[in-house]
Each structure stands twice: as C-alpha cells, then as structure tokens.
Amino acid sequence: MFLASSLFLVTLLFIIWQPKGLQIGTTAIIGAIVALLLGVVSVADIWIVTDIVWDATLAFIGIILFSMVLDEIGFFEWCAIKVAKLSHGNGTLMFVYALLLGAFVSALFANDGAALILTPILLAKMRLLKLNTKTILAFLLAGGFISDSASLPFVFSNLTNIVTANYFNIGFATYLSEMLVPYVVSVVVSIAFLWLLLKKDIPSYIDVALLKNENEVLKSQTLFYFSWFFLVLLIAGYFLGDAYDLPISVFALGGGLIFLWIASMMKTVNAQSIIKNAPWQVVWFSIGLYIVVYGLKNAGLTDYLTLVLKELALRGDALAVVGTGFIAAFLSAIMNNMPTVMIMDIALVDVGNDALAYANIIGCNLGPKMTPFGSLATLLWLHVLAKKGVKIGFWEYSKFGLMVTPPVLLVVLLSLVYL
C-alpha cells in the first residue's frame, strides 16, 4: 500500500504543480509507466483500465470538439450577451441568469466545456461592463461551482458520469430518469447558497447598454440556428444508442466530428486548427492517472472501502446514500475526483445497492469543489483564469468551497432518496 500510495501522491502533486510547463497528461503517463516498472500494476491491469475509460475519454473529446466549434461561431458569446440583457441591468437577475447559463452549458457540453469555454467569455463581458474586482470574483467563483454541481443530468455531462454508467451498465434514459431531480435540486440549491454567500458583492444595477448586440458576435447565423437543431438531433441519438446498447462515444465523438465537418464546409471554422487545439492531454491524463490509481486497488484500498460501504448499506437507504456521497466527496477533494470515481465504483460492485452508484457520482461531482485540485474542470478553470490575469489562492478557494459544498451536497443526496 505504501508504494502505491506514494506513487499516486507524487503523480498528483506534479499534476497540480505542473513544474516548467509539464502538462497533466504527460505527468499521468509517466506515473503509469513508473507504476508498471515498479510492479504496482501489470500489463493486464492496463488493458482493464483502458477498457473502463476509453468510452468516456472519446466521448469527452467529441463534446469538446463540438463545443470548440460552437465557441468559434459565437454560440456561447451570443448566449452570454443574451442572458445579460435579459436581466435589464438588475444585478441579482444577472447573477441568477449567469448561473442558469452555466448550468445549461455544463449539462449539455460537460463541466470541462463550461470551464474551458464559458469562463473566458464571461470574464471578458464582466470587464466590458466595468464591474469591480470583488464582483467579478463573485461571478467567477459562483460560475466555477455551478459548472460541477450542474454536471449531473446526462451521462455525458461529466467524465465521472460516463465511467460509472459504463461500469454499472446504466442506460442513457435510466440514468436521466434517476438524476434529473437531483440535477434540478442541485441547480436551485447551489444558486440559493451562492447568492446568500456572495450577495454583498453583487451590485444592484449593471449597465448592460455597454454590451454589443448579440447577433453581431455570430460568424454565421445560419450555422448558429442549425446548431440548436443539431443539438436536439444529437440528444435524440443518445436515446437511440441507448436502445441499441451503443457506446456513448459513438454519438458524442461522431456528432462532434460531423458538426466540425459541416462548419468547415461552410468555411466558418478551420478544422485543422480546431483539432490541433483540442485538449488531447486529457486523453493521456484519463488513461495514465487511472492506471496509477489501479495500483491502489491492487494494494487493497477498494477492499477496505467495500467493507465500509457494506456497513453503511445495512443502516438504511438515507444513511447509505449520504454516507457514500460524502466519502466520495472527501476523497475527491483530497485525491481528485477522476481516481476517486473509479476506486469507489470498484468498491461498490459487491455492495448490492444501485442507488449508491448515483450517490458516488453526486459526491464525485460536487465534492471536488472543496479544494482547487479536486477535479480536472477546476484545474482547467484556474489555469484559464490565471492566463487572463485572475489568480485565486489555495486558501481563498478552499474557504469558499468548504462553506458552500457540504450543505449543497447534503440536500442533493437527500433528494436522491426522498424525491
């Protein structure tokens, strides 16, 4: 256990630190190679891990490609301006509408998409609106939180969702039916808590006249309107794939590539540039870190967790769901939610309570907000902000996350049991 734990901690440290520009995927692969050389994992384990994560990874790439094309044509900027103008300058309404937009983007384009694409757009608009530093920080912290707390409704809304749904053979429609209510509860409760915590920094009036007309930011209105139709068609495809037991990546990656081809044929985007700038490091990150984490499984961590989870399962659904969710949440906050979801999934196999798989997802999606390194989305979000000149310190972020996350997490987990 000591060797596997030490290797994992060192790998995670370098992923967070990123010394001399060392990218997260490269670090994860190095960690996986060292794990193999030290005998922490075997070649057979690598194939097992690849089988677990390949669908989630390819689906993520497809969603990001689709999101990048939409970003290039002005889709998200149009949405941001439209939402701001709908508030008619009311600061509270703009705050709520901005978070609803974040929830929409996170649900349909994954939490990482919200972090990578929506954050810089919102930051640019807030600077254009001449908001002060505290107000901008309030909007950013709230938006960063909602990107993860709202990544619940669809299988493709978060990598953790895909991994768990595949691991337990949960279909697209079944997953949606179970997680739709927790998603709505999470969005509503998140907005309420965030408003109570940050309202002192939200101005009563914001001059939205400073914003340009939303249609001016569109490269192609034809493609913009078609994108809404394509999105509906894509979601219908997920349901169709569910009926025929097809991998989620067939439609996520296939849809992303088809939309990229359409936009390229319309000469709206440069396909080569989009593909080149896609976050390929996430592929290596997913595979590499999961291999390192599998070493913890080999060392017996999942066996210990299974005993704890079985004990919780004997004490009633409410305690089992809340307990599982908080275990997943705190592990995610400490060791990142990507490895946590896999460890918890493996530990839950022999517990025999289907609801706990959903509790694990909720814990792994919300729990990471307690620390800056809890999720890949947060790491990407902080990296994007740092490049834009906004630096959020470890303690500043953690203090905020620890105040908001536990109460929201508790309410969402209880909604899974009682609603």
Side-chain angles (χ1 to χ4, degrees):
M1 177 65 83
F2 176 76
L3 183 60
S5 300
S6 299
L7 178 58
F8 170 75
L9 290 173
V10 171
T11 303
L12 186 60
L13 175 63
F14 275 82
I15 286 171
I16 297 166
W17 182 23
Q18 295 181 36
K20 297 183 178 179
L22 186 64
Q23 298 192 65
I24 58 174
T26 305
T27 299
I29 290 295
I30 292 172
I33 293 171
V34 173
L36 182 62
L37 293 175
L38 293 178
V40 174
V41 296
S42 66
V43 174
D45 292 334
I46 293 175
W47 288 114
I48 292 172
V49 170
T50 303
D51 185 57
I52 293 172
V53 304
W54 73 267
D55 188 36
T57 305
L58 292 180
F60 172 79
I61 292 171
I63 293 167
I64 292 298
L65 286 175
F66 185 32
S67 302
M68 290 175 72
V69 176
L70 290 176
D71 182 43
E72 188 71 18
I73 68 174
F75 180 95
F76 297 109
E77 189 172 1
W78 183 95
C79 291
I81 294 173
K82 191 71 174 178
V83 159
K85 290 190 173 182
L86 283 174
S87 70
H88 300 292
N90 184 300
T92 298
L93 283 179
M94 186 178 292
F95 182 80
V96 172
Y97 290 165
L99 294 187
L100 289 175
L101 174 60
F104 164 77
V105 173
S106 182
L108 291 175
F109 303 101
N111 59 330
D112 300 290
L116 282 168
I117 294 169
L118 194 59
T119 298
I121 292 173
L122 291 177
L123 178 58
K125 299 310 166 194
M126 287 187 287
R127 284 173 169 169
L128 187 63
L129 290 168
K130 300 179 180 179
L131 302 181
N132 63 44
T133 303
K134 283 190 174 182
T135 299
I136 290 176
L137 188 60
F139 270 88
L140 291 175
L141 286 170
F145 185 87
I146 205 75
S147 68
D148 277 336
S149 69
S151 64
L152 297 174
F154 298 108
V155 171
F156 56 76
S157 300
N158 198 315
L159 278 170
T160 58
N161 305 0
I162 305 174
V163 170
T164 302
N166 285 348
Y167 199 81
F168 291 99
N169 296 313
I170 302 171
F172 185 84
T174 301
Y175 179 91
L176 177 61
S177 66
E178 292 290 339
M179 294 296 271
L180 184 58
V181 170
Y183 166 70
V184 174
V185 171
S186 184
V187 171
V188 172
V189 175
S190 293
I191 291 175
F193 270 91
L194 290 167
W195 166 245
L196 288 172
L197 188 62
L198 300 169
K199 63 180 180 179
K200 64 182 183 301
D201 296 321
I202 307 299
S204 58
Y205 177 76
I206 297 171
D207 187 7
V208 294
L210 295 170
L211 297 172
K212 63 173 68 174
N213 184 283
E214 60 270 20
N215 290 326
E216 293 179 18
V217 304
L218 297 175
K219 281 189 175 181
S220 169
Q221 288 198 19
T222 301
L223 190 57
F224 170 75
Y225 291 119
F226 173 75
S227 65
W228 291 99
F229 168 75
F230 190 86
L231 184 58
V232 173
L233 195 65
L234 191 57
I235 292 174
Y238 289 123
F239 283 102
L240 180 65
D242 187 21
Y244 290 95
D245 199 26
L246 297 174
I248 198 84
S249 58
V250 169
F251 294 92
L253 182 56
L257 291 173
I258 290 171
F259 194 75
L260 174 61
W261 176 78
I262 292 171
S264 180
M265 289 298 100
M266 294 179 66
K267 302 190 183 303
T268 308
V269 302
N270 184 316
Q272 185 177 357
S273 175
I274 293 286
I275 292 174
K276 180 182 178 181
N277 292 318
W280 298 108
Q281 279 284 317
V282 174
V283 177
W284 316 124
F285 174 82
S286 298
I287 296 173
L289 189 58
Y290 274 128
I291 290 171
V292 174
V293 168
Y294 207 80
L296 293 175
K297 181 262 182 190
N298 291 341
L301 176 59
T302 53
D303 294 334
Y304 175 75
L305 280 173
T306 297
L307 292 175
V308 174
L309 295 169
K310 280 184 175 179
E311 183 64 29
L312 283 172
L314 295 173
R315 300 179 181 275
D317 286 345
L319 186 58
V321 166
V322 172
T324 299
F326 270 89
I327 289 172
F330 284 114
L331 285 177
S332 295
I334 295 168
M335 56 186 276
N336 192 271
N337 67 339
M338 292 289 284
T340 296
V341 76
M342 181 168 141
I343 286 174
M344 289 292 290
D345 284 342
I346 294 170
L348 283 167
V349 167
D350 296 325
V351 175
N353 188 329
D354 294 341
L356 301 190
Y358 297 104
N360 180 31
I361 290 172
I362 292 171
C364 287
N365 288 9
L366 274 72
K369 305 313 294 182
M370 290 187 279
T371 62
F373 49 80
S375 73
L376 176 60
T378 304
L379 289 171
L380 292 171
W381 179 75
L382 289 170
H383 180 66
V384 168
L385 289 179
K387 287 175 66 176
K388 300 291 182 180
V390 179
K391 293 188 177 181
I392 301 175
F394 176 89
W395 293 115
E396 182 180 15
Y397 181 93
S398 297
K399 182 175 69 173
F400 170 80
L402 287 168
M403 283 191 288
V404 180
T405 305
V408 174
L409 176 61
L410 177 61
V411 175
V412 177
L413 286 170
L414 290 174
S415 75
L416 184 64
V417 179
Y418 295 112
L419 297 181

